[in-house]
Amino acid sequence: MIKRALFLVGSLLFIGQQLQAQQKEHIVSHKEATIVTNPALGANSYKEWAVFPKKDKEIREIILNLTFECPDNMRCADWDYVDHIKVRPKNDSTSYEIARMLTPYGGRFQEDWRFDWKVDITDFSPILRDSLVVDYIHTGYEDNKTRGWKVTVDFEITYGKPVVEPLAVHKIYDGNYNYGDKNDPIENHLVPVNLKPDAAATFGKIKILQTGHGMDANGCGEFCDKYREILVNGKVIDAKQLWMECGDNPLYPQAGTWIFDRANWCPGYLLQPDEALFDITTGTAYSVNVDMEPYETENPSAKELLVAYVMEFGKINSANDVTLVDIISPSTEEIFSRKNPLGSLAVIRIKNNGRENLKSLVVKYGLEGDKTNTFKWKGDIPYGEMALITLPKEIYSDKETVPFHVELKNPNGKKDGYKADNKKSSQYTRPNILPENSIIYFKTNNKPGQNSYKVTNSLGEIVFKKDSLELQPNTVYRDTLQLPEGSYTFTVEDKGGDGLEFWYKAKDGRGDVKILDTLGRAIKHFNADFGSHIRYDFRVKPTAEYHLDNTPSITMFPSRTEGPIILDYFANDAKDVQVIITQQEDESKIVETHSYIGFQKGILTYDLSYLPKMRYYLKVIVEGEEIFKNRIRLKE
């Protein structure tokens, strides 16, 4: 009896610990703060005090959530500037950059626009304690009277047993270093740093935030692809090409050159840090070094904006410990918007937080109210690494929305050392229903060799395809689909990464893509400025009612012009339409107004070459409601 009582007490304590581990707290340092530039200095600092947990409070995870919106009574800002989020502990002169934001081109965003990003900053938990100054630094030089951002910085803290014992944080580099200057080579600054480890340290992590900027004759540092190596005790432990493809950015389209690939960043991107693990021998000093690819040029102007830390850790607290990091699909998070709504197979991201390599796992998943599916995964994930898992059972519901649940169990066939982060839920949104017969409307631009499109079923089998060799310039294709009931994915690829329309490449022309019913009505409009690809999941149900996309499709091209512009209008219903052209800086100054009674579809042309060479807005008003607004730049 005594043994049973002790067992029950122990069980209750364990359950209590697990419940406590799931406790979260949100510490908001900047709440809907209006952020503008300081053109005189090129940087504007917004400091706020925030109170973080005491040093003896166990922290499992810290996620920094960053939200951008258009400010009240101002426009969203125009340029892709570098913003820094730094913290400085009380009574500490050291400032730590914990996150870096590359702002989007916001010139086309409407007043109700917003976007959310997140980054894991758990490694900074030793310094995110007690009272801190959180400094949001917005760089740039644009006008600060009429444009800016509304920014929220939210530290989401999950309490509970840490994955690993955190011991120390060393900042080893922090600078905006010249790159390519033979008189001041970057290696003069990225010199080896010698460190003596904490007595309890067993391994370390090098964490780097690095982005390339500037523009020399070779496009460096923003538009050149260079490699970087990380060395410990003179040996390379990590090598990376500092390059990022931007055409699949989930924040699209943007007003500027958002599709151009860049040096480890894209406009509208919260930088995800580079990390490398290494072993520490107890009591033995070690050296850390970062080397950039050798590079010299005449008239150098490239910069590498780099901050690097060495984190030291003690013991990993569990032998077997898996974490469910994200449900990528189905999901309503903006950063996963290109992969949703989901029409077939769910995708999750997991992380191994156990000492042992993760080689097997049980995944329980399904829509709320449906039978739970079980998937026995096998693989090999070292400590600290993440992996994507595609779950094999098709996900579909007749309901428009329903919760989707995932639970991870039995890592390596053992009890999980920390169960509280094994479950997550997301929101499933039913994909569009299409009839048995539908039409792909595809109009090519001047570069059809970059494009292809296809339809695949839930098994990934191609049921329809048209490749680039079958496409001619400036041609409309209407491909009839006859599909049995099931789940499908329509994909459009653009090898140039610039979609069917991009303002900077006006000579490439403009294309268009839609899904129509057999009466020629739009079921789905797609934005032609899509970058590298379109993914659209749908479900064919021959007897089900399908919904039409009754929001008119409106495009204006080109946005930079000597005068002529084209407005392409397509709607399922005829309505009264007004087109108004105003000055950008003073929208009350209307330069042209055009009215169309009972207008449904067609191409409208305007010639603004007689106007002063400045920026204008073109607005489309449908039955009194503004539904389209785009900027026009008249050039010489």
Side-chain angles (χ1 to χ4, degrees), residues 68-340:
F68 268 40
E69 301 174 80
C70 292
D72 299 333
N73 304 315
M74 295 175 72
R75 286 170 33 207
C76 268
D78 286 326
W79 289 96
D80 55 333
Y81 291 130
V82 184
D83 286 6
H84 309 271
I85 302 175
K86 298 184 178 183
V87 298
R88 182 176 56 79
K90 191 175 182 179
N91 302 321
D92 189 341
S93 60
T94 304
S95 177
Y96 300 86
E97 183 179 6
I98 59 172
R100 184 178 301 173
M101 177 67 193
L102 292 310
T103 63
Y105 294 103
R108 295 183 188 174
F109 298 156
Q110 301 298 308
E111 292 179 359
D112 60 350
W113 173 88
R114 67 170 282 165
F115 204 90
D116 300 291
W117 296 268
K118 62 182 179 180
V119 62
D120 190 326
I121 58 170
T122 308
D123 289 335
F124 291 102
S125 64
I127 61 173
L128 294 174
R129 302 288 183 163
D130 300 316
S131 294
L132 295 173
V133 172
V134 181
D135 192 2
Y136 191 97
I137 303 170
H138 179 45
T139 70
Y141 298 90
E142 68 183 340
D143 173 51
N144 59 11
K145 304 298 183 184
T146 61
R147 63 204 76 181
W149 300 107
K150 184 192 292 183
V151 173
T152 298
V153 180
D154 172 14
F155 297 85
E156 181 182 343
I157 299 178
T158 302
Y159 296 112
K161 183 176 69 174
V163 171
V164 62
E165 181 186 11
L167 297 175
V169 177
H170 307 284
K171 183 165 69 172
I172 58 172
Y173 304 115
D174 187 1
N176 194 15
Y177 303 113
N178 292 334
Y179 187 45
D181 187 348
K182 62 183 178 182
N183 296 316
D184 184 23
I186 194 169
E187 296 308 324
N188 284 355
H189 305 276
L190 300 180
V191 298
V193 177
N194 298 313
L195 296 170
K196 184 177 180 180
D198 186 282
T202 62
F203 72 97
K205 177 189 289 187
I206 300 161
K207 184 187 290 283
I208 300 177
L209 299 175
Q210 182 176 359
T211 49
H213 303 276
M215 188 72 172
D216 64 21
N218 300 312
C220 292
E222 185 170 343
F223 298 108
C224 68
D225 185 355
K226 301 294 183 182
Y227 68 78
R228 180 201 63 214
E229 295 177 335
I230 300 174
L231 299 86
V232 174
N233 294 330
K235 294 183 179 180
V236 176
I237 65 165
D238 181 83
K240 177 184 178 177
Q241 291 296 134
L242 296 171
W243 196 241
M244 186 173 291
E245 296 182 358
C246 296
D248 62 353
N249 193 329
L251 177 52
Y252 78 98
Q254 298 179 36
T257 55
W258 68 274
I259 66 162
F260 289 177
D261 302 339
R262 287 170 168 84
N264 211 37
W265 63 279
C266 294
Y269 178 68
L270 181 60
L271 189 63
Q272 303 298 306
D274 300 322
E275 299 178 347
L277 300 178
F278 64 95
D279 293 328
I280 291 177
T281 302
T282 302
T284 303
Y286 59 92
S287 70
V288 176
N289 190 21
V290 171
D291 281 347
M292 284 296 298
E293 178 178 340
Y295 173 65
E296 289 184 1
T297 186
E298 298 297 325
N299 302 315
S301 61
K303 296 284 189 178
E304 292 295 327
L305 186 53
L306 183 153
V307 60
Y309 303 93
V310 174
M311 280 80 173
E312 293 177 357
F313 302 96
K315 64 176 182 178
I316 300 171
N317 283 320
S318 299
N320 298 285
D321 180 1
V322 64
T323 295
L324 178 56
V325 178
D326 288 307
I327 299 175
I328 293 174
S329 54
S331 175
T332 54
E333 292 188 50
E334 290 100 335
I335 54 175
F336 304 134
S337 59
R338 282 191 181 257
K339 301 174 176 65
N340 287 284

